[in-house]
Amino acid sequence: MAKASSKSSSKTEKGIAIDIGISAKDREAVAHELSKMLADSYTLYLTTHNFHWNVTGPLFNTLHDMFMTQYTEQWQALDEIAERIRALGHYAPGTYAQYGKLASITAPTDVPEANDMVRFLVKGNEAVAKTARAALERAEEAKDAPTVDLLTRRLDIHEKNAWMLRSLLQ
């Protein structure tokens, strides 16, 4: 059995050392950035689902279906992000209070018109992409390849979603 180095291992809540080749300090920093990503992603998920339920107007079918596709994909991603935080040895945030402190985006307070929903979701997807980039930078510094991979995939999806939504407004 390999000797655990104090630089890359730490105690978890059960006292079992984590020794995955990433220091405790780096794991904590990456988990914090992923927590911001989770908060932004959850806020965007909830907003997209809300808009799916409440969209009206001539683009109803198009937007209703598009929003459902996007919120369904986002729902699956939430679990993947949270599980990566756990794999790094930290608890994933899971309350609205925690998300309110961590998120860079806020949910709308009313039900906007369809075009305003689209604009809001463009900005929301772009905000999540910015959060993902910051987390990606931190994960690269820590040489955390699984997190880099996760964030690269999320960037691709959110940038594509923003493009598709933006195209509806042109």
Side-chain angles (χ1 to χ4, degrees):
M1 183 159 68
K3 181 179 177 183
S5 93
S6 61
K7 182 177 180 184
S8 63
S9 68
S10 66
K11 300 289 183 186
T12 66
E13 64 276 3
K14 297 292 182 188
I16 300 170
I18 296 175
D19 189 12
I20 59 174
I22 303 171
S23 72
K25 180 180 175 184
D26 283 343
R27 284 187 291 103
E28 181 178 8
V30 172
H32 180 69
E33 294 301 318
L34 284 173
S35 293
K36 293 179 194 176
M37 180 69 181
L38 184 60
D40 274 354
S41 297
Y42 192 90
T43 303
L44 182 62
Y45 155 77
L46 189 60
T47 301
T48 306
H49 207 153
N50 173 23
F51 290 173
H52 164 79
W53 291 327
N54 292 304
V55 68
T56 59
L59 290 176
F60 171 80
N61 282 329
T62 300
L63 294 178
H64 186 75
D65 290 345
M66 179 185 263
F67 295 165
M68 183 170 70
T69 299
Q70 290 182 5
Y71 81 68
T72 300
E73 190 285 327
Q74 290 166 2
W75 178 255
Q76 296 298 319
L78 295 172
D79 200 52
E80 191 175 3
I81 297 164
E83 287 178 354
R84 186 63 196 152
I85 294 168
R86 294 298 293 136
L88 292 170
H90 295 272
Y91 288 110
T95 67
Y96 290 116
Q98 290 170 315
Y99 292 156
K101 291 177 185 174
L102 292 165
S104 69
I105 54 179
T106 57
T109 57
D110 59 0
V111 178
E113 296 294 321
N115 281 345
D116 291 331
M117 288 178 177
V118 172
R119 284 183 190 90
F120 189 92
L121 293 178
V122 167
K123 292 188 181 308
N125 276 280
E126 290 174 343
V128 174
K130 290 176 193 173
T131 301
R133 278 189 203 295
L136 178 68
E137 185 176 311
R138 189 63 193 99
E140 285 175 334
E141 290 170 4
K143 297 181 175 56
D144 179 356
T147 300
V148 168
D149 179 59
L150 167 64
L151 293 167
T152 300
R153 287 183 280 123
R154 299 310 311 153
L155 270 168
D156 182 51
I157 288 163
H158 289 289
E159 288 176 359
K160 183 177 179 181
N161 285 350
W163 157 65
M164 293 177 95
L165 290 159
R166 196 179 302 107
S167 294
L168 290 167
L169 299 171
Q170 297 175 343

